[in-house]
Amino acid sequence: MLRAAKDAAEAADRAKGEFLAIMSHELRTPINGVLGFARLLRDSPLNDEQRGNLEMIEDSAQALEALISDILDLSKIEAGKFEVESSPFALRRCLEQVCQLLQPRAREAGLTLEARIATEVPAIVNGDQLRLRQILQNLIGNAIKFTERGGITLTVDCVRTETLPGDTRRAVRLQFAVSDTGIGIPPDKLALLFKPFSQVDTSARRRRGGTGLGLIIAKRLCEHMGGAISVESRPGEGSTFYFTIMVSYQPGDTKEPFAEGTPSETA
Ligand code: ADP
């Protein structure tokens, strides 16, 4: 009886995930149409009022695009249709690129953004670079959004290394911490953070954009990469989001693999 109920619930969950995935996919086409034509309109002669209205259309369409992309991501993960990549990449360069990407946003908000990477963190690791970037961009992006003054620090350490059985590679647990000096999160809201669509304060003042799906996606991605995510926070003082992932590396390997998408000059 219990078993049948559990199977039915799981099947319903899967059906819901698949429905969401198809829906979000179908929604992409019209939203791309709206964004594309809004861009074309931007280059035509417009008066100030029309330009203001066009900006509203673009802002709303971009917010909808972000929401669709997050729903698609989460539904793929929840429907079990998600696989973690494992290929070599230069970890430090990846972290630098994420910081470079977000640096202008931090500067614009008058905030500092620094990274401290422990020397024992391996140069080249095998893992899912794009998903790691996604988690970091979400956490650092949130830190910028919810910080008024001060700054954001990313620290990276290795927690544990072990030799993989029958292999010369080693498995290592990387620990990341994203700290900010922002508004913080009340203790009674901490448990809600990693639930879908949860936003601590949805009032106009604190609602600084976002879908409320970033942290649940980050949590699922960490779990798929053999790690976990947690948070410590003091209202008015700031927050630190910790997460871990497992990667492997070849001791002594410092040679950078080709950057993704970089065409080989000699080919
Ligand atoms: P989003 O940022 O898109 O709203 P998230 O799932 O990434 O969604 O975050 C959920 C909520 O958690 C945010 O709306 C915010 O209330 C809170 N939050 C996340 N990161 C921070 C932070 N660094 N400082 C304060 N609050 C945060």
Side-chain angles (χ1 to χ4, degrees):
M1 259 313 256
L2 214 59
R3 173 86 213 202
K6 190 167 169 279
D7 287 351
E10 278 173 7
D13 260 2
R14 264 199 310 279
K16 191 180 73 188
E18 276 163 23
F19 170 74
L20 280 173
I22 293 166
M23 276 307 292
S24 345
H25 193 73
E26 293 298 325
L27 287 169
R28 264 174 205 272
T29 315
I31 201 70
N32 285 338
V34 174
L35 276 168
F37 281 97
R39 247 168 246 139
L40 279 181
L41 213 52
R42 212 197 297 153
D43 296 332
S44 61
L46 294 176
N47 65 31
D48 287 350
E49 192 190 348
Q50 287 169 328
R51 202 159 284 285
N53 291 345
L54 179 62
E55 267 170 32
M56 296 290 277
I57 295 177
E58 285 192 304
D59 283 355
S60 306
Q62 273 160 6
L64 191 55
E65 191 188 32
L67 179 63
I68 292 167
S69 157
D70 278 357
I71 292 179
L72 185 61
D73 235 13
L74 187 61
S75 53
K76 256 197 221 148
I77 296 171
E78 304 290 31
K81 289 192 178 146
F82 165 79
E83 275 180 31
V84 176
E85 283 268 324
S86 180
S87 38
F89 68 95
L91 181 60
R92 246 163 233 275
R93 188 154 50 85
C94 162
L95 300 171
E96 275 164 20
Q97 284 171 347
V98 171
C99 288
Q100 266 167 18
L101 187 78
L102 292 162
Q103 199 64 259
R105 222 193 288 171
R107 213 174 296 131
E108 218 171 272
L111 305 169
T112 56
L113 170 58
E114 0 178 309
R116 294 190 201 129
I117 306 163
T119 45
E120 58 277 17
V121 169
I124 310 293
V125 298
N126 290 290
D128 197 327
Q129 169 166 216
L130 288 180
R131 294 311 195 166
L132 173 60
R133 276 170 193 257
Q134 187 177 354
I135 300 171
L136 286 169
Q137 280 175 24
N138 182 264
L139 296 184
I140 300 174
N142 276 348
I144 296 173
K145 255 196 309 192
F146 296 103
T147 303
E148 244 119 55
R149 68 188 70 85
I152 294 100
T153 314
L154 163 69
T155 45
V156 188
D157 290 291
C158 322
V159 183
R160 186 164 61 91
T161 74
E162 63 192 38
T163 311
L164 292 171
D167 202 326
T168 54
R169 284 178 307 161
R170 281 170 171 268
V172 61
R173 187 175 290 277
L174 296 176
Q175 179 165 302
F176 299 81
V178 177
S179 297
D180 66 55
T181 54
I183 60 172
I185 299 149
D188 59 320
K189 296 284 163 61
L190 284 176
L192 298 174
L193 283 189
F194 299 100
K195 299 228 167 19
F197 299 111
S198 61
Q199 291 180 319
V200 170
D201 184 342
T202 49
S203 68
R205 197 172 66 78
R206 293 243 167 118
R207 208 185 142 88
R208 299 153 204 236
T211 60
L213 290 174
L215 287 177
I216 173 76
I217 293 174
K219 179 176 154 70
R220 293 284 183 259
L221 292 178
C222 289
E223 288 165 355
H224 274 82
M225 294 196 268
I229 189 165
S230 62
V231 57
E232 279 173 10
S233 185
R234 279 172 192 267
E237 289 181 24
S239 315
T240 301
F241 283 81
Y242 299 96
F243 74 92
T244 55
I245 57 167
M246 290 299 291
V247 293
S248 66
Y249 74 104
Q250 187 76 51
D253 188 5
T254 52
K255 210 164 60 219
E256 290 205 4
F258 277 120
E260 246 165 73
T262 310
S264 162
E265 307 248 332
T266 51

